[in-house]
Amino acid sequence: MSNTAAPLEVLIDELKRLPGLGDKSATRLAYQLMNLSSEQTDRLVQAIRGVHTKLNRCRQCQNYTEGDLCPICSDPKRDHSVICVVETARDVQAIERTREYRGLYHVLYGLISPVKGIGPENLTIRELVNRMSDTTVKEVIMGLPPSVEGDATSIYLARTLKPLGVRTTRLASGVPVGSKLEQADRQTIFRALEGRHEL
Ligand SMILES: [Zn+2]
């Protein structure tokens, strides 16, 4: 039998389900949460619930937003002729932090991976192709990680989009192989954007 009180054990078990949280860190976090005041606990629970109930996907770029169109897609000062395709919504944040990119985005929510059984139909590729009917779009940049799955997805997208008359480019190498865009620093992302080349 465990020495931990049942409610605490339930909390630890739930936290352990989160990616990247092992036994130790889940336990540490559970004790920290237990020490929160009642008001803090309510705010935290409401914040977690809020991202589930108040957010939906932007009609255009598929990024999380509160309205129909996200603030980036609805900003007339952004360059609407360029779309940077990224794997996750976190990548949008990473690129936005650099303030070096003025175009729009498209969030795929994954990469093509035959091993994991993820095909083009499981990603937001159809939504991306539909965006090409807007003739303002001239270039699609593959901002995908330099991995086997990232490369496979970039090549698939280039083959699909090129016949539609749009230029397809990819970020210059600089982001180390296998690493995530969100972990790259500002200079690296800037150089990768500047040195992008045709696909
Ligand atoms: Zn959007």
Side-chain angles (χ1 to χ4, degrees):
M1 239 187 86
S2 164
N3 299 326
T4 316
L8 187 56
E9 206 160 333
V10 171
L11 179 58
I12 293 170
D13 280 346
E14 283 306 318
L15 291 171
K16 275 198 302 204
R17 289 176 204 267
L18 298 174
L21 276 194
D23 235 337
K24 256 192 189 168
S25 34
T27 306
R28 192 170 51 229
L29 186 54
Y31 276 96
Q32 282 168 355
L33 291 171
M34 207 168 60
N35 287 328
L36 293 181
S37 69
S38 169
E39 290 76 28
Q40 282 175 307
T41 307
D42 286 345
R43 278 205 303 273
L44 180 63
V45 170
Q46 268 170 28
I48 296 172
R49 200 161 286 287
V51 293
H52 287 281
T53 56
K54 294 182 191 154
L55 290 184
N56 49 274
R57 287 184 184 183
C58 167
R59 157 165 67 82
Q60 196 164 266
C61 72
Q62 308 298 315
N63 195 3
Y64 296 114
T65 185
E66 276 190 274
D68 179 40
L69 266 186
C70 75
I72 295 175
C73 287
S74 46
D75 184 351
K77 289 200 280 285
R78 305 282 304 210
D79 181 355
H80 286 239
S81 71
V82 189
I83 295 174
C84 182
V85 178
V86 291
E87 179 188 357
T88 71
R90 292 196 305 271
D91 294 331
V92 173
Q93 276 197 331
I95 298 176
E96 282 300 287
R97 266 202 311 269
T98 69
R99 297 172 196 274
E100 304 290 355
Y101 177 68
R102 297 299 302 155
L104 305 182
Y105 294 94
H106 193 87
V107 184
L108 288 182
Y109 294 98
L111 298 169
I112 294 172
S113 170
V115 180
K116 293 180 193 155
I118 303 170
E121 68 284 358
N122 302 116
L123 308 172
T124 62
I125 292 177
R126 192 162 44 97
E127 288 83 350
L128 176 63
V129 171
N130 287 344
R131 290 177 73 178
M132 300 306 124
S133 60
D134 177 357
T135 49
T136 327
V137 182
K138 303 285 180 231
E139 180 184 353
V140 176
I141 306 170
M142 308 301 160
L144 302 174
S147 59
V148 174
E149 293 169 351
D151 289 347
T153 310
S154 294
I155 292 164
Y156 177 88
L157 288 177
R159 277 194 199 137
T160 309
L161 299 176
K162 261 188 190 167
L164 304 174
V166 65
R167 189 179 166 219
T168 53
T169 55
R170 74 182 312 166
L171 293 181
S173 52
V175 185
V177 173
S179 80
K180 297 273 183 187
L181 199 57
E182 60 169 313
Q183 289 156 355
D185 61 40
R186 183 179 170 173
Q187 267 303 315
T188 308
I189 291 180
F190 172 65
R191 280 198 303 268
L193 273 165
E194 281 295 290
R196 65 184 189 269
H197 48 82
E198 300 290 327
L199 244 177

